[in-house]
C-alpha cells in the first residue's frame, strides 16, 4: 500500500494543497507525518511554498520559551495573509496548541483550528468541523485511537514508530506531561503490524519512540509470575526483532530511573538493535537532580553507563543536559562538566533552563540570570564538542556499516547515512568500480576523516544481505 487511494481530486479538496512546519521533537515530527498522511488521504497535495498553500499547519513545541516564540512570528505572517484570503485554513497543532488552547484563538483570531497532540489522528474530523464554519479547539484529554492512517513519511528508509504516548513523570521543569497527557502504550501486536507494513514498503530502520520509553507497557494489563509488567520495552524489542526487511532498530528516550540491565542484555543479544543509547542525565549534581524530581543519583547513572560499556564496549552514548536550573551553584554546574569529562559522550543536547508555565520550578525564587545561563551554556558546549571530537576519533581507519539515507544535501555527488552508533557519515555516491549506491543500501564505509558530530570516508562495498535468522530463541 502506498499513497492515498484516491488521487482524483473531487469536491472540497479539488486543487487544495497543504504546508506543514514542524517545530518539535521526534514525536512531534512523527505526528506531522501522520497528519500529512491524513491530508493526502483527503486529496490534498503538498504545496510548493508556504505562501501558496491552502492549508497551513504549524506543529508546535513549547519545551522552552524560544521554541514557543518561533511559532508566533510565523503565525503573524499567515494571519495577515488570511485577512486577504479567507479561504486559507490556518491550523496550530502540537504542544503550544495544547498549552494555550482557546487563548491562542484570542491571540490570533484568524486561526481555524487549535489541536493538541492527542488529537493528531483526528485531523480529518476536525477539518470537517472547520469546513462547516466553526472555529475549533480540540485540547481535551483524549484516548489516542490506533493509527489506521498511512503516515506520509519524510524518509523512505528510516521510520519512527510511536510505542508510548505521553509521560507520567513529574520533572519539575518540564511541560511535556501537561501537553502530552498520561502514558498510553500501544499494544505489541499493533506495533509489530505497523513495522511489518513499513518493511513491506521498503523501510530498513525503525526507531521506537516514547518520551520515557522505559515506561512502555506499564499501563497495559498483565504481569509475569516474577511480578514484572507483562509488556516491557525489552519484551517489545524481542517481539519485533525478527520482522524481515528491517535491519536496524533504535529506541528513544531512555530514563535513568527505569533503565534496566535486562534492556542492555537484550541490546547486546539482538543483532539488529543498534549500539546507541540516548539517556539524558540533565545534571551531574545529586541535589539538583533531586530538585528536578528525576528519581536517580549520579552514581546510578554512572553504573548504567559502566554496565553498557562492559556489555557493549563500542556503544555510543548521548544525553540531554540542562544548565542554570534554579539555584544551581557554580560548583554544582562544574559537577555536570566533570561527569561529561569522566564518562565521555558522543553527543549531548544542551539547553539553558527556561521557566515554563504551570511547572513547579518556574515559581521558585532562585532563578538565575541570563548572563549566567549564557556563560554556562557556552562553557558546556565547548566541552561537549571536545568530548564528541575525541569519541569520533575512534572511528578513524575503521570500516563501519552505514545505512544510506539519501544524498548529502550540501553535495549531490555524495551520500549520507549513519553508522549503527548513530554518527552521521558522508561518502562518494559510487563504489570504486563505478556502481551507483542506492538509497536504503547498507554499505561498508572506510572512515578517513572525523569531525565532532560527523564522519567522512569511502564506500568499499555493499554489505552482504543479512541472512534472516528467526530470532526469539
Ligand atoms: N523525556 C525526555 C526529555 C524530553 S524533553 C527525558 O526525560 O529526558 C527534551 C529535553 O529538553 C530534556 O531532556 C531537557 O534536557 C530539555 N528540557 C525540558 N524542559 C526544559 C526546560 N524547561 N528548560 C530547558 N530545557 C528543558
Ligand atoms: Fe519531561 Fe521528565 Fe517526562 Fe522527560 S521524563 S518528558 S523530562 S517530565
Ligand atoms: Fe516539544 Fe512537545 Fe516534543 S513540547 S519537545 S514537541 S513533546
Amino acid at each position: 500500500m502506498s499513497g492515498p487511494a484516491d488521487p482524483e481530486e473531487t469536491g472540497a479538496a479539488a486543487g487544495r494543497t497543504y504546508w506543514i512546519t514542524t517545530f518539535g521533537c521526534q514525536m512531534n515530527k512523527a505526528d506531522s507525518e501522520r497528519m500529512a498522511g491524513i491530508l493526502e488521504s483527503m486529496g490534498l497535495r503538498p504545496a510548493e511554498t508556504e505562501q501558496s498553500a491552502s492549508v497551513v499547519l504549524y506543529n508546535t513545541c513549547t519545551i522552552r520559551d524560544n521554541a514557543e516564540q518561533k511559532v508566533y512570528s510565523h503565525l503573524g505572517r499567515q494571519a495577515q495573509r488570511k485577512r486577504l484570503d479567507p479561504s486559507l485554513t490556518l491550523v496550530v497543532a502540537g504542544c503550544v496548541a495544547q498549552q494555550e488552547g482557546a487563548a491562542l484563538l484570542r491571540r490570533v483570531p484568524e486561526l481555524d483550528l487549535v489541536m493538541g497532540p492527542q488529537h493528531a489522528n483526528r485531523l480529518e474530523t476536525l477539518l470537517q468541523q472547520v469546513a462547516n464554519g466553526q472555529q475549533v479547539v480540540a485540547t481535551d484529554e483524549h484516548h489516542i485511537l490506533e493509527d489506521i492512517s498511512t503516515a506520509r513519511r519524510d524518509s523512505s528508509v528510516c521510520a519512527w514508530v510511536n510505542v508510548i504516548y505521553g509521560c507520567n513523570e513529574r520533572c519539575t521543569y518540564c511541560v511535556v506531561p501537561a501537553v502530552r497527557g498520561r502514558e498510553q502504550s500501544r499494544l505489541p501486536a499493533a506495533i509489530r503490524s505497523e513495522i511489518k507494513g513499513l518493511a513491506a514498503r521498503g523501510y530498513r530502520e525503525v526507531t521506537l519512540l516514547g518520551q520515557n520509553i522505559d515506561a512502555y507497557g506499564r499501563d497495559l494489563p498483565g504481569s509475569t509470575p516474577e511480578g514484572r509488567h507483562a509488556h516491557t520495552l525489552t519484551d517489545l524489542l524481542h517481539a519485533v526483532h525478527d520482522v524481515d526487511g528491517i535491519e536496524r532498530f533504535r529506541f528513544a528516550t531512555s530514563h535513568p530511573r527505569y533503565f534496566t540491565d535486562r534492556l542492555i542484555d537484550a541490546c547486546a543479544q539482538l543483532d539488529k538493535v543498534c549500539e546507541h543509547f540516548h539517556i539524558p542525565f540533565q545534571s551531574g549534581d545529586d541535589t539538583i537532580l533531586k530538585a528536578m524530581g528525576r528519581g536517580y543519583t549520579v552514581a546510578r547513572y554512572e553504573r548504567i553507563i559502566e554496565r553498557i560499556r562492559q556489555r557493549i564496549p563500542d556503544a555510543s552514548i548521548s544525553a540531554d543536559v540542562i544548565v542554570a536550573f534554579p539555584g544551581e551553584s557554580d560548583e554544582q554546574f562544574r559537577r555536570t562538566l566533570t561527569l561529561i569529562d569522566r564518562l565521555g559522550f558522543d553527543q549531548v543536547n544542551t539547553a539553558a533552563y527556561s521557566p515554563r508555565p504551570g511547572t513547579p520550578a518556574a515559581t521558585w525564587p532562585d532563578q538565575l540570570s541570563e548572563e549566567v545561563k549564557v556563560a554556562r551554556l557556552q562553557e558546556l558546549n565547548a566541552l561537549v564538542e571536545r568530548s564528541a571530537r575525541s569519541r569520533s576519533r575512534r572511528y578513524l581507519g575503521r570500516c563501519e556499516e552505514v545505512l544510506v539515507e539519501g544524498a548529502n544535501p550540501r553535495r549531490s555527488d555524495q551520500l549520507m547515512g549513519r553508522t549503527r552508533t548513530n554518527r552521521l557519515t558522508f561518502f562518494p555516491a559510487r563504489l570504486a568500480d563505478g556502481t551507483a549506491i542506492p538509497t536504503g543500501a547498507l554499505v561498508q564505509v572506510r572512515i578517513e576523516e572525523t569531525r565532532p558530530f560527523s564522519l567522512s570516508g569511502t564506500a568499499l562495498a555493499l554489505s552482504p544481505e543479512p541472512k534472516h535468522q528467526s530470532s526469539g530463541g
Side-chain angles (χ1 to χ4, degrees):
M1 279 180 299
S2 67
D6 179 15
E8 280 311 306
E9 291 162 1
T10 49
R16 306 235 322 144
T17 58
Y18 71 92
W19 180 273
I20 297 182
T21 303
T22 306
F23 295 88
C25 61
Q26 289 171 319
M27 255 136 301
N28 194 243
K29 289 177 187 151
D31 292 345
S32 287
E33 292 184 344
R34 287 206 310 280
M35 290 191 285
I38 293 171
L39 290 168
E40 298 209 353
S41 73
M42 293 169 66
L44 280 84
R45 295 272 160 277
E48 296 281 319
T49 63
E50 180 170 355
Q51 285 305 328
S52 67
S54 345
V55 176
V56 171
L57 186 154
Y58 294 134
N59 197 12
T60 59
C61 174
T62 182
I63 198 77
R64 288 179 283 276
D65 187 59
N66 55 2
E68 182 181 349
Q69 295 313 319
K70 268 191 224 158
V71 68
Y72 292 119
S73 64
H74 279 71
L75 265 179
R77 257 170 284 149
Q78 292 302 321
Q80 204 172 12
R81 196 182 136 207
K82 170 111 183 174
R83 288 195 286 275
L84 303 172
D85 174 11
S87 74
L88 168 66
T89 304
L90 202 47
V91 183
V92 176
C95 297
V96 174
Q98 186 65 37
Q99 183 173 269
E100 297 298 314
L104 211 49
L105 287 188
R106 288 192 288 277
R107 184 163 174 167
V108 187
E110 291 81 2
L111 277 172
D112 295 292
L113 170 58
V114 174
M115 54 186 286
Q118 296 188 352
H119 294 261
N121 295 349
R122 299 183 60 230
L123 180 60
E124 179 163 10
T125 312
L126 297 171
L127 284 175
Q128 273 155 5
Q129 292 171 14
V130 170
N132 293 339
Q134 300 173 41
Q135 224 178 5
V136 181
V137 178
T139 52
D140 48 315
E141 181 85 11
H142 190 75
H143 175 73
I144 296 169
L145 297 168
E146 205 30 70
D147 179 21
I148 46 159
S149 64
T150 301
R152 181 183 188 277
R153 300 180 192 260
D154 285 342
S155 163
S156 59
V157 179
C158 307
W160 290 305
V161 172
N162 293 96
V163 305
I164 176 168
Y165 301 101
C167 179
N168 288 6
E169 296 304 299
R170 287 290 171 270
C171 301
T172 52
Y173 50 83
C174 184
V175 290
V176 170
V179 292
R180 291 259 160 186
R182 304 284 299 166
E183 287 167 3
Q184 298 184 36
S185 298
R186 294 175 66 199
L187 291 168
I191 295 166
R192 191 179 152 89
S193 113
E194 180 174 356
I195 294 173
K196 280 180 121 173
L198 289 165
R201 277 178 283 132
Y203 284 88
R204 313 215 71 191
E205 179 178 301
V206 163
T207 302
L208 307 176
L209 287 184
Q211 277 296 357
N212 170 6
I213 199 159
D214 302 281
Y216 175 76
R218 66 183 178 185
D219 58 318
L220 294 175
S223 56
T224 66
E226 308 88 70
R228 262 197 299 111
H229 288 286
H231 306 283
T232 65
L233 176 60
T234 306
D235 301 317
L236 182 65
L237 284 172
H238 280 282
V240 297
H241 188 259
D242 66 345
V243 172
D244 274 349
I246 303 298
E247 302 303 344
R248 289 178 167 189
F249 284 96
R250 302 181 185 279
F251 55 89
T253 300
S254 301
H255 195 307
R257 184 180 202 162
Y258 303 102
F259 195 92
T260 63
D261 285 354
R262 269 184 86 230
L263 180 65
I264 304 174
D265 292 342
C267 297
Q269 201 185 330
L270 298 172
D271 47 288
K272 292 182 188 176
V273 178
C274 292
E275 297 76 20
H276 170 224
F277 295 86
H278 182 64
I279 321 177
F281 62 88
Q282 311 299 1
S283 166
D285 179 81
D286 283 341
T287 308
I288 295 291
L289 283 176
K290 195 155 194 201
M292 287 176 161
R294 292 288 290 177
Y296 55 85
T297 58
V298 175
R300 168 161 167 88
Y301 187 82
E302 290 196 77
R303 275 199 301 276
I304 293 172
I305 305 303
E306 260 166 45
R307 170 89 187 164
I308 291 173
R309 290 193 164 143
Q310 272 165 15
R311 295 285 275 123
I312 312 172
D314 195 48
S316 65
I317 315 275
S318 59
D320 300 348
V321 169
I322 298 174
V323 296
F325 186 75
E328 184 189 64
S329 67
D330 188 62
E331 203 184 338
Q332 290 171 324
F333 165 61
R334 307 250 147 237
R335 291 203 182 100
T336 293
L337 299 180
T338 51
L339 183 65
I340 294 176
D341 235 358
R342 232 175 15 250
L343 296 182
F345 283 86
D346 294 83
Q347 165 82 286
V348 182
N349 305 319
T350 62
Y353 169 74
S354 168
R356 305 310 293 134
T359 60
T363 65
W364 296 348
D366 42 2
Q367 306 287 324
L368 300 183
S369 69
E370 212 42 48
E371 292 71 48
V372 170
K373 289 181 180 178
V374 170
R376 288 186 186 170
L377 195 57
Q378 270 177 1
E379 189 172 351
L380 174 66
N381 285 342
L383 173 66
V384 165
E385 187 169 326
R386 284 199 299 280
S387 177
R389 185 186 302 280
S390 100
R391 291 286 291 162
S392 266
R393 284 208 183 104
R394 74 189 196 276
Y395 294 103
L396 198 63
R398 271 170 43 174
C399 202
E400 290 291 309
E401 182 198 89
V402 174
L403 175 62
V404 183
E405 291 177 25
N408 175 353
R410 300 220 194 114
R411 282 193 56 181
S412 58
D413 60 332
Q414 285 194 346
L415 294 172
M416 66 174 196
R418 278 169 301 147
T419 62
R420 287 177 60 98
T421 51
N422 212 34
R423 267 288 187 263
L424 198 57
T425 305
F426 302 102
F427 49 95
R430 290 179 184 276
L431 297 174
D433 66 2
T435 317
I437 304 167
T439 293
L442 286 165
V443 284
Q444 294 297 321
V445 176
R446 191 180 56 227
I447 306 302
E448 288 148 354
E449 203 183 317
T450 70
R451 291 169 297 275
F453 304 107
S454 64
L455 311 169
S456 298
T458 306
L460 301 180
L462 299 184
S463 293
E465 279 301 303
K467 315 174 270 312
H468 288 297
Q469 69 286 60
S470 59
S471 84

